Amino acid sequence: MRSPLWNKLALIFGPRPPISWLVLCLISVLALITVLGSSSSNAFEAATSTPAPDIYTNYRKLKEQAAVDYLELKSLSGGASRVKELGLCGKERENFVPCYNVSANMLAGYKDGEVFDRHCELSRELDRCLVRPPKEYKIPLRWPAGRDVIWSGNVKITKDQFLSSGSMTKRMMLLEENQIAFHSDDGSIFDGVKDYSRQIAEMLGLGSDTEFIQAGVRTVLDIGCGFGSFGAHLLSLKVMAVCVAAYEATGSQVQMALERGLPAIIGNFVSRQLPYPTLSYDMVHCAQCGIVWDDKDGVFLLEVDRLLRPGGYFVLTAPVNKVQGSSSTKKAKMVVPLEKFTDEICWSLLAQQDDTFIWQKTVETNCYKSRKQVAIPLCKGQDLQSYYQPLVSCISGVSSKHWTSIQNRSSGPYLSSAELELHGVQPDDFFEDLQYWRSSLKNYWSLLTPLIFSDHPKRPGDEDPLPPFNMVRNVMDMNAHYGGLNNAFLEEKKSVWLMNVVPVGAQNTLPLILERGFAGVLHDWCEPFPTYPRTYDMLHANGLLSHLSSERCSMMDLLLEMDRILRPEGWVVLSDRMGVIELARMLATQIRWEARVIDLQNGSDQRLLVCQKPFVRK
């Protein structure tokens, strides 16, 4: 099927136009782009004191068409044929998560929980294809409705599995035809999530759970989060709660949480550290998460200790075997196996109520020197870039320059100059980055708003919502730097959350991002990301393609991974050098994305590639 451009050329030059005429046309199109560009003001500017103006108007489509014509002419002049689109994967890969192949792990000799752990080194090369959605898949409801009601066909859990999942789960969820409804006042805790949250606050000596932030608790790692109800409640209190749970082939906690628009990532307490630096979280929470904490000489508790900031809390809720006697007897039953170990790592049992226990990590480094018996040594050196390293049997972070009590930090995302300098960041660079992303987000939104609400055809029965309502909730910044885009979203009060990804090999700014109270993780983009398919509404990357150009992975493999984790009708925004963006656009056509190249008109060779993933229905 010939393109309209080819038909026009054929009428003028005949079926086989001379190469010289094609080159002449190419030069003419480039001249047209230059003339159009010179008549426009700057759309994106480097960080300045004045935000870049919002100038995406009618000339945009003309410029985009010129860019399309340029690429088609370039392809024709080289004698190249149209790039063939990739096919769809089989049904067996609808919920495919690379690096989590239980059968391959068993054949490789892994045992116990390690067969469910991440082993990218065993991932075999598969045919390149597009992971398709299940037949019953529907576009998730807009936030916040999507937090409380999801389509059952979007997650891999059957009705039988749901009904056999226990009475507490039945109290939390209600299956109505093709929907799963989550009751906001109920959850995996017997007395309800709100009551449970207030109970924890009272055990910490607070008047209400609304005081978590004032007490220094801004970030929580929720281990084995169930279906995310506790995390959803914490987010309503402006506490960033991230769910981490093991890979599950069906009924996944991580998949369910992300489908609800809640932060989550696949992670496992088995043999490796989680991809977070030392001293990352203010609270680690485990409610019936299934981990035997005193197993393997307490190495799992040492990993919690590594992740906790000084003065941070470990909250453990687990059923206690009913025994005859007082509550002190019940306490002994639960605490005795852990008491000696927690004393050794300088934790104090702060409170115990019913089945919930709270320990607090010391803020005094002298505690480690005053121990009577040193069965657990201090780790040597600092380990700020932990990327799936083996679990350690030593106490981490004691000598870190980031050893600061959670009660003595800045209470928001704007760190002091002294705090920035501890992270090796110059205050001027940091605030320049803030200003740049403030203006950039405004331009992104002025660009995406007409695309989402005008260019994009409405689905039957839908009405265009008025800004600032938007159709994105789960956003990933694939090269987050200082977390400036996350901060800009917060300032604009957009109802989104961001997963800030710091690529392995880049400047490790993850400690700074976590210090600001944001969600973040280290990741090697030459490997698949630890999440389920169709879990993000928007993927953003600034300079990532250039960063990976010297790595061992291909751009096509990266774009295919982005397609896997992107929801149908989701968006991709890539900013990079012109040559890299042109290559990415050509590859995007192979994976069926609708791609548009935007000239930023700032005098540089930077370009913006905006893509949308189509909803491929069967």
Side-chain angles (χ1 to χ4, degrees), residues 7-38:
N7 292 333
K8 294 175 185 177
L9 290 173
L11 288 174
I12 300 173
F13 302 116
R16 297 181 179 275
I19 191 68
S20 59
W21 283 104
L22 293 174
V23 172
L24 179 59
C25 291
L26 173 61
I27 295 173
S28 301
V29 171
L30 290 173
L32 175 63
I33 294 175
T34 303
V35 171
L36 289 171
S38 62

Side-chain angles (χ1 to χ4, degrees), residues 451-617:
L451 292 179
I452 293 176
F453 301 125
S454 299
D455 297 355
H456 180 64
K458 291 189 295 182
R459 294 184 292 276
D462 280 2
E463 294 183 359
D464 287 345
L466 297 174
F469 293 104
N470 52 283
M471 299 170 68
V472 296
R473 169 63 183 173
N474 301 351
V475 179
M476 177 186 290
D477 193 350
M478 301 170 66
N479 189 17
H481 198 41
Y482 298 148
L485 181 61
N486 195 152
N487 188 82
F489 269 112
L490 285 178
E491 290 184 340
E492 290 294 318
K493 294 182 169 45
K494 303 295 184 185
S495 56
V496 306
W497 70 271
L498 265 77
M499 178 63 77
N500 295 278
V501 182
V502 176
V504 172
Q507 179 187 1
N508 185 16
T509 55
L510 185 57
L512 171 63
I513 289 171
L514 296 174
E515 183 78 10
R516 301 181 70 184
F518 301 156
V521 68
L522 282 172
H523 183 64
D524 183 350
W525 280 115
C526 292
E527 299 175 351
F529 191 80
T531 192
Y532 290 81
R534 303 171 299 277
T535 45
Y536 284 88
D537 301 303
M538 178 181 289
L539 305 177
H540 171 269
N542 181 28
L544 178 66
L545 301 182
S546 292
H547 171 72
L548 293 180
S549 61
S550 60
E551 299 289 335
R552 65 187 184 276
C553 49
S554 72
M555 187 185 298
M556 174 56 87
D557 289 336
L558 175 64
L559 295 183
L560 276 174
E561 174 61 7
M562 293 167 65
D563 183 80
R564 183 185 71 86
I565 68 179
L566 188 65
R567 285 173 175 165
E569 300 186 0
W571 296 89
V572 173
V573 180
L574 300 174
S575 177
D576 220 304
R577 293 180 292 106
M578 180 173 63
V580 178
I581 287 295
E582 287 178 0
L583 175 58
R585 180 195 175 279
M586 296 182 71
L587 295 177
T589 61
Q590 286 189 263
I591 56 179
R592 311 186 186 195
W593 290 354
E594 300 172 6
R596 305 182 182 202
V597 177
I598 309 296
D599 186 348
L600 304 186
Q601 293 298 296
N602 59 2
S604 72
D605 69 342
Q606 291 293 112
R607 297 292 185 271
L608 201 66
L609 180 65
V610 179
C611 307
Q612 186 180 29
K613 176 180 176 178
F615 191 167
V616 180
R617 301 178 185 273

Side-chain angles (χ1 to χ4, degrees), residues 195-241:
D195 290 340
Y196 176 67
S197 179
R198 284 193 290 266
Q199 175 187 336
I200 292 176
E202 291 170 0
M203 293 172 69
L204 295 179
L206 306 177
S208 168
D209 55 3
T210 59
E211 300 177 10
F212 276 143
I213 292 180
Q214 292 90 319
V217 179
R218 292 186 297 155
T219 58
V220 176
L221 187 67
D222 193 5
I223 304 171
C225 60
F227 301 113
S229 293
F230 181 54
H233 177 66
L234 290 178
L235 286 175
S236 71
L237 302 175
K238 301 188 184 308
V239 175
M240 174 53 68

Side-chain angles (χ1 to χ4, degrees), residues 113-139:
E114 291 188 34
V115 299
F116 299 101
D117 212 343
R118 178 180 185 273
H119 298 284
C120 291
E121 67 277 8
L122 299 180
S123 295
R124 59 185 178 88
E125 292 294 329
L126 298 173
D127 294 335
R128 285 176 170 171
C129 58
L130 306 177
V131 176
R132 60 185 179 179
K135 184 178 180 180
E136 300 81 12
Y137 185 85
K138 297 178 182 292
I139 299 298

Side-chain angles (χ1 to χ4, degrees), residues 238-456:
K238 301 188 184 308
V239 175
M240 174 53 68
V242 179
C243 167
V244 59
Y247 167 76
E248 299 164 278
T250 60
S252 164
Q253 302 171 77
V254 170
Q255 186 185 40
M256 195 78 72
L258 286 164
E259 188 67 22
R260 299 183 63 189
L262 306 173
I265 190 171
I266 299 175
N268 210 354
F269 276 75
V270 179
S271 61
R272 302 184 186 183
Q273 296 177 346
L274 295 175
Y276 303 111
T278 56
L279 314 181
S280 294
Y281 286 94
D282 306 320
M283 177 183 288
V284 175
H285 173 261
C286 161
Q288 304 178 31
C289 61
I291 297 175
V292 183
W293 290 106
D294 57 340
D295 198 12
K296 296 185 179 181
D297 298 323
V299 71
F300 302 141
L301 275 178
L302 283 173
E303 174 65 356
V304 172
D305 181 79
R306 185 184 75 83
L307 297 172
L308 274 179
R309 292 191 174 102
Y313 306 98
F314 177 53
V315 181
L316 175 62
T317 297
V320 178
N321 294 330
K322 291 186 177 181
V323 295
Q324 298 295 326
S326 63
S327 59
S328 61
T329 308
K330 293 175 65 177
K331 173 181 175 180
K333 276 281 205 180
M334 182 68 200
V335 175
V336 167
L338 301 180
E339 188 171 22
K340 181 179 179 182
F341 193 87
T342 52
D343 287 344
E344 178 70 16
I345 60 177
C346 291
W347 288 8
S348 57
L349 182 61
L350 194 65
Q352 184 264 330
Q353 185 175 330
D354 299 326
D355 296 339
T356 299
F357 302 79
I358 299 181
W359 285 269
Q360 184 174 25
K361 179 176 178 175
T362 185
V363 299
E364 301 293 339
T365 57
N366 291 333
C367 173
Y368 302 102
K369 299 176 183 178
S370 62
R371 293 176 296 170
K372 297 179 180 179
Q373 295 180 346
V374 185
I376 306 172
L378 302 181
C379 297
K380 297 181 180 179
Q382 296 186 28
D383 182 21
L384 290 179
Q385 185 153 328
S386 173
Y387 187 68
Y388 297 107
Q389 296 297 314
L391 293 172
V392 296
S393 297
C394 55
I395 300 172
S396 305
V398 178
S399 60
S400 171
K401 61 182 179 181
H402 300 290
W403 184 277
T404 305
S405 170
I406 63 172
Q407 290 81 15
N408 296 332
R409 297 172 308 157
S410 298
S411 59
Y414 306 105
L415 306 184
S416 67
S417 297
E419 289 170 324
L420 290 172
E421 289 172 0
L422 276 179
H423 290 278
V425 176
Q426 292 298 321
D428 290 344
D429 292 341
F430 179 78
F431 291 109
E432 186 177 355
D433 185 75
L434 281 179
Q435 192 68 14
Y436 171 80
W437 285 111
R438 284 167 180 159
S439 58
S440 294
L441 180 63
K442 289 181 180 178
N443 281 290
Y444 283 171
W445 220 248
S446 66
L447 168 67
L448 290 174
T449 297
L451 292 179
I452 293 176
F453 301 125
S454 299
D455 297 355
H456 180 64

